[in-house]
Amino acid sequence: WLAGDLMVQRELANTLSLIRDQGRAGFYEGSVADAIVAEMNRAGGLMTKDDLKNYQAIWRKPVTGMYKGYKVITMPPPSSGGIALIQLLKSVEAFPLQRWGHNADSTVQLIVEAERRVYADRAAHLGDPDFYAVPTKQLMEDGYIKNRMSSFSWEKATLSADLQAGVVAAKESEETTHFSIVDREGNAVSLTTTLNGSYGAAVVVKGGGFLLNNEMDDFSVKPGAPNMYGLVGGEANAIAPHKRMLSSMTPTILEKDGDLFMVVGTPGGSTIITSVFQTILNVIDFNQSMQAAVNAKKFHHQWLPDEVMYEEAALDSLTKKKLEDKGYQLKKRGQIGRVDAILKTKWGYYQGGADPRGDDKTIGW
Ligand code: DON
C-alpha cells in the first residue's frame, strides 16, 4: 500500500449494509452469522448460530456520583469503568491536587495509591450483574472510600501484596421476603416470611444449613423500650413461655364481590403495615395502576417516635410546610416498604407491581 491508495472494504461494506437494512438480524442472523460460525469452525471455536441469535443487548442504568459539585454519569457493570472512576474521583476529592501541581510527587503518589485500592476492589467485587450481586452502591459510598484510603501512608508505598479488596457491608439489609402469586386457575397466595434482622441471629445450624432467626426482638422486652424497628409495647406483647411475638407482617388478599382483586404484601419491619395500606389506597382511592401504586413514595407514622417519616419526594414543599405549621415533626428516611403485588383488572387480566426499591420482578405466563 502506498500513501494515496484507495482501500475499499467490500465485505465490511456488505456487513454494514445488512445491519442498516435488517437491524440486529443483519449481524446476528443470516449470512453474517453463517460467516462468523464458519470462521469459528475453521479455528476450532465453539460459537454456534444459536449463541449469536440469542445474544441480547441490554439497556442499563448508568452509575452516577458527585465530584466537587459535578454529577458524573457513567457506565455501569458489566463494565468496571464507571464504579472505578467514581471511586477514584472520590478517593482524591479531599486532597489539594491543584496546590501540589499536575504530576507533582504528592499528586502522583495519591493517584497511584487510590488506583491500587480501586483496582483491588475491581478484582474482587466486580463482574456481570446478571450473575453476581455487584455491591455497586456500597463501593461508591463516601464512608467506604474514606476507609479504603485510610491505610495509605505518605512515608512509604503500600505493597499490593499487603492490600486486599475492601470489605463491603453485607448487601442484605433486613431479612424478610414477600411473594404475591396467582396461578392459572386464579388461586392466590400472599406470603411473607421473616428471619427478622439481616441473617437473623447470624447462626447457621450445623448440619442443617439454615439460619436461626432473631425473632425474639419482635417481643417487647420491657414497657417503653423500642425494638430494632423503634416499636414499643407493653404487657400484651411481653415475653412469656410458649407465647408468640407480635409481627407486623401483612400478607393480604383483597376480593371484590367474591372475586380476586389484589394480592399484596411487603417486608419492612414496622413500615410493612403502612406500605400495604398506602398501596391499597393508591389503587382503590387514587386509581393508580398496580405498578404505580407500588412505586409511589410512601410516608409512615408508628405512634412512637412521634414523627412522620417520609421518603424523598413523597411530600412536596408546600405540603411539608403546612404539616410543620400544624406541629408535625417530619423526618426524611430511606425506602419505605418493598411491595410486591398483583391486581386483577376489571377486564380479567393481571397487573403486576414489583417494587423498584429492590430487585423485585413481575413474571407471568
Ligand atoms: O414480623 C415482623 O414484623 C418482623 N420480623 C419483620 C421484619 C422485616 O420486615 C425486616 N425486613 N425488612
Side-chain angles (χ1 to χ4, degrees):
W1 292 97
L2 297 173
D5 280 353
L6 181 65
M7 183 166 102
V8 180
Q9 293 174 276
R10 282 192 206 289
E11 291 174 346
L12 178 61
N14 180 48
T15 301
L16 292 174
S17 305
L18 286 167
I19 295 170
R20 178 197 61 203
D21 297 339
Q22 297 171 24
R24 73 175 297 287
F27 188 83
Y28 290 105
E29 295 170 47
S31 63
V32 177
D34 289 343
I36 295 173
V37 171
E39 190 61 45
M40 286 283 156
N41 290 339
R42 269 195 292 281
L46 298 173
M47 207 178 278
T48 66
K49 284 188 74 174
D50 272 349
D51 290 332
L52 291 168
K53 197 170 167 189
N54 293 336
Y55 181 76
Q56 298 280 358
I58 300 177
W59 187 265
R60 296 186 195 272
K61 206 167 149 238
V63 289
T64 60
M66 294 299 292
Y67 177 67
K68 296 191 169 164
Y70 293 89
K71 184 172 181 186
V72 182
I73 305 161
T74 178
M75 183 151 175
S79 176
S80 58
I83 293 177
L85 173 66
I86 290 170
Q87 286 188 298
L88 287 167
L89 290 168
K90 287 189 174 204
S91 300
V92 304
E93 188 171 23
F95 295 89
L97 296 180
Q98 197 176 32
R99 179 153 63 76
W100 293 337
H102 180 251
N103 289 5
D105 58 342
S106 298
T107 309
V108 174
Q109 193 182 351
L110 177 70
I111 289 176
V112 165
E113 293 299 342
E115 292 184 353
R116 187 198 309 279
R117 285 159 179 76
V118 166
Y119 278 78
D121 276 356
R122 181 187 187 283
H125 294 306
L126 295 180
D128 182 348
D130 291 343
F131 291 81
Y132 183 79
V134 178
T136 302
K137 237 177 86 193
Q138 292 97 317
L139 288 171
M140 299 190 299
E141 261 160 24
D142 290 341
Y144 174 82
I145 301 284
K146 210 168 150 203
N147 194 23
R148 285 295 278 156
M149 289 303 280
S150 65
S151 65
F152 144 59
S153 150
W154 284 112
E155 307 307 321
K156 211 165 174 290
T158 306
L159 287 176
S160 287
D162 295 341
L163 181 85
Q164 302 301 319
V167 177
V168 289
K171 232 184 91 60
E172 231 164 345
S173 49
E174 293 129 354
E175 210 27 62
T176 304
T177 303
H178 178 84
F179 297 102
S180 294
I181 302 166
V182 181
D183 75 6
R184 72 177 83 193
E185 274 85 35
N187 300 301
V189 176
S190 185
L191 182 150
T192 313
T193 175
T194 186
L195 281 179
N196 201 31
S198 179
Y199 294 96
V203 174
V204 175
V205 173
K206 200 166 179 202
F210 53 87
L211 285 156
L212 296 180
N213 67 52
N214 62 341
E215 269 296 315
M216 290 297 281
D217 185 69
D218 273 345
F219 277 120
S220 67
V221 276
K222 61 177 178 183
N227 75 356
M228 62 188 275
Y229 301 104
L231 292 167
V232 292
E235 197 47 43
N237 188 35
I239 299 176
H242 307 297
K243 193 170 170 183
R244 291 164 210 255
M245 58 292 286
L246 185 68
S247 172
S248 300
M249 293 189 285
T250 318
T252 300
I253 294 176
L254 279 79
E255 292 184 346
K256 178 95 191 302
D257 304 326
D259 199 14
L260 177 66
F261 180 66
M262 193 192 293
V263 190
V264 55
T266 182
S270 57
T271 66
I272 290 176
I273 304 164
T274 291
S275 304
V276 169
F277 167 53
Q278 292 181 20
T279 303
I280 293 171
L281 291 187
N282 290 345
V283 171
I284 295 182
D285 293 83
F286 301 111
N287 292 319
Q288 294 182 4
S289 70
M290 194 69 263
Q291 188 63 62
V294 168
N295 292 2
K297 301 293 180 198
K298 313 263 181 329
F299 52 90
H300 172 69
H301 197 296
Q302 59 178 45
W303 178 47
L304 291 175
D306 187 355
E307 57 196 17
V308 182
M309 299 167 222
Y310 66 97
E311 292 183 296
E312 174 110 58
L315 308 171
D316 63 32
S317 50
L318 188 61
T319 307
K320 280 194 272 196
K321 172 141 193 348
K322 283 184 181 163
L323 291 167
E324 276 167 346
D325 287 349
K326 290 180 181 166
Y328 291 94
Q329 299 283 335
L330 302 186
K331 193 170 171 202
K332 194 163 80 182
R333 58 162 271 174
Q335 64 185 51
I336 296 180
R338 197 169 146 180
V339 177
D340 288 319
I342 300 172
L343 181 68
K344 186 168 181 190
T345 64
K346 61 180 171 204
W347 302 281
Y349 67 82
Y350 297 109
Q351 286 183 349
D355 206 318
R357 292 164 181 84
D359 56 358
D360 308 41
K361 278 194 180 61
T362 301
I363 304 174
W365 283 270

